[in-house]
Amino acid sequence: MRMRTGPIPTHTQDPSIEVAAPLAARYDEILTFEALEFLTELHHRFGARRHSRLADRLRRRFEIGNGHDPQFRDDTRHIREDAQWRVAGAGPGLEDRRVEITGPTDPKMTINALNSGAKVWLADQEDATSPTWKNVIEGQLSLRDAIRGELSFTSPEGKRYEVTADETPTIVMRPRGWHLPEQHIRFTDPTGRTMAASGSLVDFGLYFFHNAKQLIANGRGPYFYIAKLESSEEAKLWDDVFTFSEERLGLEHGTIRATVLIETLPAAFEMDEILFELRDHCAGLNAGRWDYIFSIIKNYRGRGARFVLPDRSEVTMTVPFMRSYTELLVQTCHKRGAFAIGGMSAFIPNRRDPEVTERAFEKVAADKKREAGDGFDGTWVAHPDLIPVARAEFDAVLGDRPNQLDRQRPDVSVAASDLLDVHIGRPITAAGVHANVSVAIRYLEAWLRGLGAVAIDNLMEDAATAEISRSQVWQWIHQDQTTEDGTPITRDYIEGLIRQVLGEVDRRDGDRFDDAAEIFRDVALGQEFPAFLTLPAYSRFLAETA
């Protein structure tokens, strides 16, 4: 079925939006004519600027790849040196963020998150969601129903899930990043050109249009996590989207609150500037650790052996460049009245294996103790059983205080060179190479089946961790690296590991392992380096037609 707003395309026309994908039960409650009109306006006003910002990314990546290291910008020095300005800060329900749970927005996971006891739920339409058409729209339905107290779910086995918590977490929704398209919705501009819609504008627009006023009536507000930003200009684009959207729905300016993930290397050099551009709508920054590691590899993949990282497991939060980035984030946030939110430790418990669970608790407790001690105001977990572990570490530092914004960290002094100090001094091991191939293929197989957050080897994997795995393999090959025992890491070597992994996994009718291996070959063994593995995989395997 096709749904369209606006007239049939001509050479000069009003812009229009078309839904070019199947409509299942209740999709019409999300894809209303009025909501599609709102999406049309968003794309007409901001689509061209989005493409310009994406072109800026390509230029910046080219410059870094050709030896021009990022620096703190001279043209925005006045913003960094002006001590007076502050961000808007917490909206209602965001005053205490000591533990946030993350996860996708299918009905079961939505209910589990709302019953979890966390202060905040990051309702993730991005890296923890495989962007199938079903997940995109039915995730919106889950959120709509949850916000109105109408959500329930019965599993195929007959188990019923309902929201039973007296106090549910404040919802902060994460739309897809600027780079991702939504090919099931097509935008036609005034010149008659038709193109895929922006995943960012679709996710944000549908959620905001349907839920902003109800969230306010609930004593909360329309809150967002903003992913994958690379510059303050990209932040300014989001701020303009927020301002227009508030005006369009008749809401007070500043009603929206955004928390920006600092998960790219260029953004780490513009944290003050990003806060400044979003200051009327900004609640804080988050240290998106996994994408940040991926961004380091992506930008420096061709710059020589000194920028090669060892096994993924050795790139911890205490290595020099990660330590510098997080300490600078806390200092920058608190100077501006913004919350600093820590990242997600990948370790997860296993209720059937007490030893695994105990080890996960120990790892997570140490990670959260470090974050709370460094001045973070809250942190992420990916499993409800980890909430008490994380909360205990933040309670020990915060006590009854909702945050520690007063901790200014004048002791922190981070230079550009500190953010680029990637020397770790550990080898690449054969086990580490195998783990990268195995994790990436197993994650991609699940992603192709519609699962965006997957427990693999007692770690929570999502698109960001899969990106690290495949980009390390690409870099190791192109930088002529060897394993600790002297084995060259070549395409033939990796092909052997792919065959080995395909022989190790449990195969079943209808699995997607062959497709997953094909994607992995494309993004890890090709001569060119795709900026995101999700782009070719989405276009090839997840885009449906009506």
Side-chain angles (χ1 to χ4, degrees), residues 48-186:
R49 285 175 60 189
R50 167 184 171 248
H51 288 293
S52 294
R53 299 290 76 78
L54 292 177
D56 291 342
R57 288 186 182 184
L58 290 175
R59 286 192 290 270
R60 189 177 301 108
R61 197 173 307 132
F62 178 82
E63 291 169 357
I64 295 173
N66 281 275
H68 299 281
D69 290 336
Q71 300 288 334
F72 296 106
R73 290 169 57 168
D74 285 334
D75 64 325
T76 56
R77 183 184 301 274
H78 63 285
I79 293 174
R80 296 193 301 275
E81 293 181 350
D82 182 352
Q84 302 305 310
W85 61 269
R86 297 288 185 274
V87 302
L94 286 179
E95 299 88 354
D96 187 333
R97 304 178 64 171
R98 68 187 67 199
V99 183
E100 305 188 356
I101 191 166
T102 74
T105 55
D106 60 274
K108 178 182 173 182
M109 295 302 289
T110 296
I111 292 168
N112 287 344
L114 294 175
N115 286 333
S116 69
K119 291 291 187 180
V120 169
W121 172 40
L122 187 160
D124 196 2
Q125 292 285 87
E126 201 232 3
D127 273 359
T129 291
S130 170
T132 64
W133 179 235
K134 173 183 170 71
N135 285 346
V136 168
I137 301 303
E138 294 184 16
Q140 294 279 351
L141 280 166
S142 294
L143 292 167
R144 179 209 172 280
D145 291 350
I147 289 164
R148 289 160 177 79
E150 300 170 356
L151 182 63
S152 64
F153 172 70
T154 301
S155 72
E157 299 77 27
K159 184 176 180 180
R160 184 170 176 81
Y161 294 80
E162 294 180 321
V163 178
T164 57
D166 292 331
E167 184 176 348
T168 58
T170 298
I171 298 173
V172 181
M173 188 266 209
R174 177 161 70 164
R176 283 169 283 180
W178 280 131
H179 62 289
L180 287 168
E182 177 45 70
Q183 294 195 22
H184 304 100
I185 296 179
R186 311 289 293 173

Side-chain angles (χ1 to χ4, degrees), residues 10 31 54 60 65 177 206 228 280-282 284 354 460 490 508 517:
T10 62
L31 299 168
L54 292 177
R60 189 177 301 108
L206 292 175
K228 305 290 191 293
D280 290 350
H281 295 108
C282 195
M460 183 59 72
T490 63
R508 59 197 178 280

Side-chain angles (χ1 to χ4, degrees), residues 7 40 68 70 117 164 214 261 321 335 351 353 373 376 385 391 436 453 480 538:
T40 303
H68 299 281
T164 57
Q214 184 64 54
L261 291 115
F321 73 96
K335 180 172 60 176
R351 292 172 179 173
D353 191 329
F376 281 94
D385 289 355
R391 185 169 53 224
N436 276 0
D480 300 320
Y538 173 77

Side-chain angles (χ1 to χ4, degrees), residues 312-374:
R312 193 184 89 170
S313 60
E314 298 288 350
V315 190
T316 67
M317 297 305 296
T318 59
V319 302
F321 73 96
M322 296 298 285
R323 191 89 183 114
S324 296
Y325 140 73
T326 53
E327 294 217 303
L328 180 61
L329 187 148
V330 172
Q331 181 192 57
T332 304
C333 282
H334 287 183
K335 180 172 60 176
R336 305 303 182 182
F339 281 61
I341 307 298
M344 187 182 74
S345 175
F347 295 94
I348 53 174
N350 183 333
R351 292 172 179 173
R352 295 182 298 275
D353 191 329
E355 185 177 337
V356 167
T357 296
E358 183 179 0
R359 186 164 61 249
F361 285 173
E362 290 174 355
K363 295 281 190 181
V364 171
D367 183 61
K368 304 316 172 188
K369 182 176 182 178
R370 175 191 49 76
E371 287 182 331
D374 284 348

